């Protein structure tokens, strides 16, 4: 069998298998990037945002909705569940330009250390990113100086986004407020 014939046979078999799979299921098929309005080449971008939490007062932006299990209350907050809707800014000062919000949930998930499982949606409101989102889901060991979490998706200009985020606590007072820095390193179209 010649190499050209073998190559042609493999190509035809693969094409036939793809068509058969699509026809058999009725819901599987390949698509062209251009049908989704995607550029052919991905970009690698770095975004830095800060979010500002307020834990107390009449305008709290991060609240606990389920308190931690009493046994772990002062050490790990195991069992705690909370929700947030915080301003997203370009600088660490609360007076910095607001470019969106971060909305999400968090839960104390470790019995031995202060660790949060976070589900965050960074909703942007400025410039060409207006209406776009970046989603983060991961383990946030709060006591560590720098934490990494995966970027799991996005919308708008961040469709098919992938990457990770580095998180740093800039300021923290558990009774009143915090400022958190998020550095995104993402591939997107």
């Amino acid at each position: 069998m010649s190499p050209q014939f073998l190559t042609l046979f493999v190509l035809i078999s693969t094409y036939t298998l793809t068509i058969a799979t699509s026809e058999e299921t009725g819901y599987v098929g390949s698509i062209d990037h251009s049908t989704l309005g995607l550029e052919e080449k991905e970009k690698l971008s770095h975004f830095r945002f800060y979010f500002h939490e307020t834990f107390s007062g009449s305008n709290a932006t991060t609240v606990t909705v389920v308190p931690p299990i009493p046994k772990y209350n002062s050490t790990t907050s195991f069992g705690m569940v909370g929700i947030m809707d915080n301003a997203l800014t370009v600088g660490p000062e609360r007076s910095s330009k607001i470019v969106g919000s971060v909305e999400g949930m968090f839960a104390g998930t470790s019995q031995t250390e202060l660790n949060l499982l976070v589900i965050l949606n960074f909703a942007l409101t400025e410039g060409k990113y207006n209406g776009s989102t970046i989603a983060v889901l991961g383990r946030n060991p709060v006591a560590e100086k720098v934490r990494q979490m995966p970027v799991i998706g996005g919308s708008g200009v961040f469709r098919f986004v992938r990457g990770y985020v580095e998180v740093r606590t800039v300021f923290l007072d558990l009774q009143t407020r915090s400022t958190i820095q998020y550095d995104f390193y993402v591939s997107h179209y």
Side-chain angles (χ1 to χ4, degrees):
M1 206 185 276
S2 74
Q4 293 87 1
F5 178 76
L6 185 57
T7 303
L8 181 61
F9 176 75
V10 169
L11 288 173
I12 291 172
S13 298
T14 303
Y15 178 73
T16 304
L17 180 60
T18 302
I19 291 174
T21 303
S22 176
E23 290 174 356
E24 288 173 14
T25 63
Y27 59 85
V28 176
S30 61
I31 55 175
D32 181 18
H33 281 82
S34 63
T35 61
L36 295 175
L38 300 175
E39 298 175 19
E40 288 188 31
K41 187 175 179 184
E42 285 184 286
K43 295 175 258 186
L44 183 60
S45 298
H46 171 232
F47 296 90
R48 175 172 288 164
F49 300 115
Y50 296 85
F51 76 70
H52 305 275
E53 300 177 285
T54 302
F55 303 123
S56 59
S58 61
N59 195 25
T61 61
T62 297
V63 296
T64 300
V65 293
V66 176
I69 297 169
K71 176 180 174 182
Y72 302 100
N73 188 29
S74 64
T75 56
T76 70
S77 295
F78 180 67
M80 172 189 63
V81 177
I83 196 157
M84 67 174 67
D85 180 7
N86 297 307
L88 195 59
T89 65
V90 295
E93 302 82 20
R94 287 182 168 262
S95 60
S96 296
K97 181 179 179 181
I98 295 175
V99 294
S101 65
V102 59
E103 301 165 351
M105 298 174 60
F106 55 91
T109 56
S110 175
Q111 295 181 32
T112 60
E113 63 181 332
L114 181 54
N115 175 60
L116 300 176
L117 169 66
V118 295
I119 305 165
L120 303 173
N121 202 18
F122 290 76
L124 304 176
T125 57
E126 286 293 314
K128 73 178 186 177
Y129 304 108
N130 185 23
S132 298
T133 64
I134 301 175
V136 173
L137 170 77
R139 180 179 186 270
N140 187 353
V142 179
E144 291 183 15
K145 184 176 180 177
V146 178
R147 291 91 68 190
Q148 290 185 6
M149 292 181 283
V151 170
I152 63 165
S155 67
V157 299
F158 296 113
R159 291 176 290 172
F160 298 107
V161 70
R162 66 184 186 282
Y164 75 100
V165 64
E166 288 185 350
V167 182
R168 292 171 177 80
T169 302
V170 176
F171 175 81
L172 175 63
D173 177 345
L174 289 173
Q175 301 304 310
T176 59
R177 63 186 182 87
S178 77
T179 300
I180 311 295
Q181 176 182 319
Y182 273 73
D183 282 287
F184 286 86
Y185 300 92
V186 294
S187 293
H188 61 99
Y189 288 95

